[in-house]
Amino acid sequence: MDEFVTLTYNGKEIMLPMVTGSEGEKAIDISSLRAETGFITLDPGYANTGSCLSSITFMDGEKGILRYRGIPVEQLAEHSTFKETVYLLINGRLPDRDELTQFSVMLNDNSLVHTDLKAFYQNYPRRAHPMGILSSMVNTLKAFYPTLETVEEEINITMTRLLAKVRTMAAMSYKISRGHEIVFPRADLTYCENFLNMMFDSPVKSYEMKREAVNALRVFWILHADHEQNCSTSAVRMVGSARVNLYAAISSGIAALWGPLHGGANQAVIEMLTNIQNDGGNCQKAVQRARDKNDPFRLMGFGHRVYKTYDPRAKIMKKMCDELLESMHITDPLLDTARELEEIALKDPYFVDHNLYPNIDFYSGIVLRAIGIPTNMFTVLFALGRLPGWIAQWRESTDDPHWKISRPRQIYTGSQKYDYVPIHAR
Ligand code: ACO
């Protein structure tokens, strides 16, 4: 039975349909609101706005639940490979053995990049941030791979190319930034092994592939693979809504992810922990500063728009961080600072009242450091993990029969009409 909510204004009533999701989430469909009443809705930061119907990821911020295509992220992190999770997100179901093999072959076949791309990397200023470079280079890929004959063929090949080549490009940019020889992808290595090998193998010293490092990267990427309508995914959907090519849409997602309030937080956490240490290791002082409304400082890696309890990804990341450092016999003083900071913050009345808990970025930087990833590459690693989510969300939006260009409205608060005055008369 259709359900409605009644909106009463100026003595009139209109009925607005209710929409219920498969997990019982409720929305009011306001698509006829302006036409019927002249009103629009105002919702800064879209905190109460559902921008689409989606069957990809479910999250419940109050209960700390995250599922991809219905499967709890905890189960995927425990049992799945990153490649299989990518297939699941993009195709909506787990692959059988043949499908997974075919997918692996396609990724391997597309993993090389055009050697002309090297010149672009070499001409970037040495101090350019890898996220800026990645965003530009993904956009540049379109120039190297122009349109194919059919739209369906183009979409499928472009998705595979992005998944295969962006990983190669990220490692390549790191090698070039250090002035080292590029290492090519190898078909005998898994998706995660290949990335580590391209990052760290060299003609003078073969990279020693450690099981713990490969597993940490696998879990890190699975945990980052999708997170429904977050800032960067919304950027991909919004830019994609203008029917721009997929490379350009993903490039905009990478740019959005770069921000320290979003994916850039993993780098910002390490910088914050280092500053706390350099300042004498006073975690109490950092928590006090974060509470002070006159101080712009925030605890990076804390708080989330949707999670009002412990981020389920952060729980897995924290456990993995402890296990990884122990099994690799690494002591990282930043981990001690992070633990102390978390303990103080979780007991602090301000953090308790504001439901501020560690998010995925709080411990992820320490994991990445342990496997040798340099700090300025952290957000690039996030982008590689989020790529399948962006692609799946873009594809869902382009397949939507009700697809429309994204075009919010506003409430204008500027000057009312007044006449132009020539410069000599002002
Ligand atoms: N430290 C101190 N106070 C905080 C923090 C924090 N990390 N996060 C939120 N608050 C406070 C705000 O000051 C605000 O207080 P008030 O209501 O008394 O004014 C309240 O909590 C709500 O904060 P908002 O900024 O309105 O919450 P919003 O949902 O818009 O922002 C965000 C969420 C951006 C993640 C925020 O918590 C934050 O800045 N965190 C630090 C950056 C970070 O870790 N980002 C990564 C997020 S996860 C990801 O994108 C992968």
Side-chain angles (χ1 to χ4, degrees), residues 2-8 13-19 27-34 36-37 41:
D2 289 343
E3 290 180 282
F4 291 87
V5 293
T6 309
L7 176 71
T8 310
E13 273 190 356
I14 62 158
M15 308 274 277
L16 295 167
M18 264 169 60
V19 180
I28 302 167
D29 178 348
I30 54 140
S31 47
S32 65
L33 185 69
R34 187 167 178 278
E36 288 196 42
T37 67
T41 55

Side-chain angles (χ1 to χ4, degrees), residues 54-72:
S54 179
S55 62
I56 301 170
T57 289
F58 171 69
M59 58 190 286
D60 181 326
E62 274 70 36
K63 296 192 185 128
I65 293 173
L66 176 63
R67 297 180 199 140
Y68 301 156
R69 301 285 190 183
I71 304 179

Side-chain angles (χ1 to χ4, degrees), residues 261-262 293 298-299 301-303 305 350 354 356 359 361:
L261 296 189
H262 190 15
K293 289 286 166 215
R298 284 187 164 198
L299 273 200
F302 261 79
R305 170 62 63 78
Y350 173 92
H354 285 74
L356 297 171
N359 58 51
D361 294 314

Side-chain angles (χ1 to χ4, degrees), residues 117-392:
L117 273 170
K118 211 170 146 185
F120 285 77
Y121 282 108
Q122 280 164 336
N123 285 304
Y124 265 98
R126 280 286 139 130
R127 296 176 64 168
H129 194 282
M131 282 298 275
I133 301 177
L134 190 69
S135 173
S136 315
M137 292 310 291
V138 167
N139 214 349
T140 306
L141 275 180
K142 175 70 180 163
F144 284 84
Y145 302 99
T147 319
L148 292 166
E149 298 210 335
T150 70
V151 174
E152 193 51 32
E153 185 188 18
E154 180 167 357
I155 290 174
N156 284 331
I157 295 188
T158 304
M159 289 190 304
T160 315
R161 269 195 200 127
L162 279 165
L163 291 164
K165 292 190 199 303
V166 176
R167 178 194 55 171
T168 308
M169 286 159 61
M172 182 172 158
S173 96
Y174 170 65
K175 284 290 193 194
I176 293 174
S177 74
R178 307 201 68 195
H180 292 176
E181 284 293 313
I182 291 166
V183 177
F184 291 103
R186 280 176 25 196
D188 60 318
L189 296 177
T190 66
Y191 195 89
C192 297
E193 287 170 347
N194 235 325
F195 178 72
L196 291 172
N197 192 61
M198 286 190 279
M199 285 283 290
F200 302 123
D201 194 45
S202 90
V204 287
K205 191 165 186 278
S206 301
Y207 176 60
E208 191 195 332
M209 193 72 69
K210 292 214 172 82
R211 193 176 42 83
E212 296 91 342
V214 178
N215 185 53
L217 184 58
R218 175 190 72 82
V219 175
F220 176 93
W221 274 345
I222 289 177
L223 295 181
H224 284 83
D226 194 49
H227 215 221
E228 52 118 304
Q229 308 314 317
N230 57 82
C231 176
S232 56
T233 302
S234 297
V236 170
R237 279 191 180 250
M238 183 174 253
V239 171
S241 79
R243 294 187 194 256
V244 73
N245 66 79
L246 180 55
Y247 301 104
I250 298 294
S251 164
S252 68
I254 296 170
L257 189 72
W258 190 3
L261 296 189
H262 190 15
N266 57 14
Q267 177 174 341
V269 168
I270 293 296
E271 287 161 358
M272 174 189 74
L273 294 174
T274 310
N275 288 340
I276 293 174
Q277 268 195 354
N278 293 343
D279 194 30
N282 190 342
C283 294
Q284 194 75 53
K285 184 174 156 198
V287 171
Q288 261 161 16
R289 280 192 66 194
R291 282 195 314 227
D292 183 354
K293 289 286 166 215
N294 298 316
D295 187 333
F297 176 77
R298 284 187 164 198
L299 273 200
M300 301 314 282
F302 261 79
H304 197 274
R305 170 62 63 78
V306 181
Y307 293 125
K308 298 303 162 206
T309 182
Y310 214 104
D311 179 339
R313 305 166 302 169
K315 259 188 209 161
I316 303 171
M317 194 67 82
K318 182 181 179 185
K319 184 164 170 277
M320 185 176 72
C321 184
D322 288 341
E323 290 167 359
L324 179 72
L325 267 61
E326 199 186 322
S327 63
M328 290 181 86
H329 309 293
I330 295 172
T331 35
D332 187 340
L334 290 191
L335 179 59
D336 299 330
T337 307
R339 284 190 186 127
E340 191 187 335
L341 193 60
E342 180 188 345
E343 205 183 315
I344 296 173
L346 289 182
K347 286 189 198 135
D348 185 276
Y350 173 92
F351 279 76
V352 173
D353 289 351
H354 285 74
N355 294 317
L356 297 171
Y357 293 86
N359 58 51
I360 189 168
D361 294 314
F362 195 64
Y363 286 102
S364 67
I366 299 172
V367 167
L368 295 179
R369 264 160 75 93
I371 60 177
I373 308 291
T375 312
N376 71 349
M377 285 287 286
F378 286 1
T379 316
V380 169
L381 271 277
F382 189 154
L384 294 174
R386 184 55 54 85
L387 187 56
W390 289 331
I391 292 174

Side-chain angles (χ1 to χ4, degrees), residues 69 85-92 103 159 163 388-389 391-392 395:
R69 301 285 190 183
T85 301
V86 171
Y87 189 101
L88 169 73
L89 281 168
I90 293 177
N91 297 288
F103 187 45
M159 289 190 304
L163 291 164
I391 292 174
R395 190 184 195 184

Side-chain angles (χ1 to χ4, degrees), residues 42-61:
L42 189 60
D43 184 19
Y46 308 134
N48 302 286
T49 297
S51 60
C52 59
L53 299 176
S54 179
S55 62
I56 301 170
T57 289
F58 171 69
M59 58 190 286
D60 181 326

